[in-house]
Amino acid sequence: MKLLIVGLGSMGKRRARLLRGLLPDVAIAGVDSAPGRREEARALGITPYESPDAALAAGGFDGALVCTAPLSHAGIIGRLLDAKLPVFTELNLVDDGYDENIRKARENGVPLFLSSTMLYRGETQYIKQRVKAFGRPVNYIYHIGQYLPDWHPWENYKNFFVGDARTGGVREIFGIDLPWLLDAFGPVAGFSAMKDKISDLEITYPDSVFVTLRHQNGVKGMLAVDVVSPKAVRNFECFGDGLHLFWEGNPRSLYEFDKQSGEKRPVNTYARVEQDPRYSDNIVENAYVDELANFLGVLAGAEKPRYSFEQDKETIRLIEAIERA
């Protein structure tokens, strides 16, 4: 198999490394406009190209992954679909070109696969299954906090996509976490939101947002998102009359309260946890691997994507409504 990765930054290199773990014989080519990244890719055994057109002229690809900044995705995806290549894309955060690219994928008969890594976390799927099996009303409280300058310590936060209000840090957190919350608790019927800027960060959007969500099935959720927390945190709690779940974002922190013993019982959803020490313990490589395995299954015609552009349009619509509120 031969795959093309457009964008050879941290995520593009991660996707290449994980693909080789899944397919040791895979041939990988990469596109990046930065000469330094192309040389680094060559040293990693990735055939480098300066532009998508140059790579496509070489031909022979079975699929492509788009790992560039979100606002560049629409045009790149469209160009790859014109070449009749199946496309895997990282989070877009905006719905630029969605209708056109959905049409192109359908007319060319190729898959359009959208990343939503939290849907592949064992913990989020356990929470979804337990809530469904419980079958009674529940509420949840969820705080996701990170410190924006820590996202890419090697560069100033104003110099990559989180510095742009359309793809800012708070919006990205919503884009990452809302899909699994909607998957677990259902569509949202209504919400209220409060936003503020409590830091000296040089950004043009609120750095902290509090949202109360009312799902169509009656579930209520309190969601706090910020980019000012000095320590990266995910603190989730779900409770109802007979169910109490706790999760702090990493695989060793999922618990269910056992009323009989009066203690929290640990829940293990992984046989083995893969983590990269360069990232927070909330970042689990297993989910990225499982997501890529799903994409390869889609390429083989054996699986369907867990998340779609159509679903993401609804997620983005909710994010934009929260931002306008």
Side-chain angles (χ1 to χ4, degrees):
M1 177 174 283
K2 186 177 179 182
L3 296 172
L4 175 65
I5 297 178
V6 183
L8 296 172
S10 59
M11 187 56 77
K13 290 194 288 286
R14 168 189 261 164
R15 296 294 186 185
R17 172 173 53 83
L18 297 178
L19 281 168
R20 282 179 170 151
L22 288 166
L23 296 172
D25 297 328
V26 67
I28 299 176
V31 171
D32 205 288
S33 59
R37 285 184 176 178
R38 292 199 301 274
E39 287 307 306
E40 184 182 3
R42 192 187 303 277
L44 295 172
I46 299 170
T47 304
Y49 294 93
E50 188 174 353
S51 68
D53 285 345
L56 292 172
F61 296 107
D62 298 296
L65 293 84
V66 178
C67 304
T68 57
L71 293 181
S72 68
H73 286 185
I76 295 170
I77 293 168
R79 178 69 185 92
L80 296 169
L81 292 173
D82 286 339
K84 299 187 178 180
L85 280 183
V87 174
F88 173 109
T89 176
E90 307 293 351
L91 278 176
N92 299 309
L93 300 180
V94 293
D95 61 2
D96 296 355
Y98 267 36
D99 292 338
E100 176 68 7
N101 285 332
I102 289 170
R103 180 190 63 77
K104 285 184 178 183
R106 182 175 60 250
E107 290 180 355
N108 289 329
V110 293
L112 189 53
F113 189 107
L114 179 56
S115 168
S116 190
T117 311
M118 291 295 285
L119 286 171
Y120 297 81
R121 291 288 295 260
E123 306 98 311
T124 65
Q125 292 308 295
Y126 180 84
I127 291 166
K128 174 186 176 180
Q129 292 160 8
R130 283 295 290 121
V131 168
K132 182 178 180 181
F134 180 59
R136 299 184 63 189
V138 296
N139 295 329
Y140 64 86
I141 301 172
Y142 192 17
H143 172 212
I144 312 112
Q146 299 178 16
Y147 189 51
L148 196 64
D150 290 344
W151 284 22
H152 287 186
W154 56 87
E155 63 182 328
N156 191 298
Y157 62 86
K158 293 182 287 185
N159 295 336
F160 71 107
F161 68 84
V162 296
D164 188 313
R166 288 196 75 204
T167 55
V170 170
R171 188 180 179 104
E172 183 175 24
I173 294 173
F174 277 122
I176 290 169
D177 278 274
L178 277 176
W180 86 260
L181 291 173
L182 297 174
D183 183 55
F185 300 108
V188 169
F191 69 88
S192 61
M194 292 187 295
K195 293 163 283 185
D196 207 350
K197 190 168 186 296
I198 62 172
S199 74
D200 294 326
L201 292 170
E202 296 180 56
I203 52 179
T204 59
Y205 52 87
D207 56 29
S208 56
V209 179
F210 283 64
V211 184
T212 301
L213 299 169
R214 180 76 167 187
H215 294 264
Q216 289 180 4
N217 57 10
V219 170
K220 299 185 299 297
M222 294 179 62
L223 182 58
V225 173
D226 73 75
V227 292
V228 300
S229 292
K231 182 185 183 303
V233 294
R234 287 182 185 276
N235 289 323
F236 176 86
E237 188 173 345
C238 178
F239 51 93
D241 186 5
L243 178 70
H244 206 159
L245 303 171
F246 306 82
W247 183 43
E248 293 181 6
N250 68 71
R252 294 168 292 278
S253 65
L254 179 62
Y255 292 88
E256 183 164 356
F257 182 72
D258 184 340
K259 191 171 183 179
Q260 187 171 357
S261 67
E263 297 180 351
K264 293 194 295 184
R265 175 178 60 83
V267 178
N268 182 18
T269 61
Y270 296 92
R272 180 183 178 190
V273 176
E274 300 286 346
Q275 288 184 304
D276 187 327
R278 295 173 298 175
Y279 297 95
S280 163
D281 64 358
N282 289 340
I283 307 296
V284 178
E285 297 289 278
N286 304 57
Y288 291 98
V289 172
D290 292 345
E291 185 173 48
L292 287 171
N294 184 204
F295 175 59
L296 295 175
V298 170
L299 291 185
E303 298 181 26
K304 293 183 178 180
R306 290 194 187 178
Y307 196 59
S308 69
F309 271 59
E310 289 84 355
Q311 289 172 292
D312 199 51
K313 281 182 68 173
E314 296 303 314
T315 302
I316 291 172
R317 194 168 288 132
L318 175 59
I319 294 171
E320 290 177 342
I322 291 169
E323 290 176 340
R324 290 193 303 267

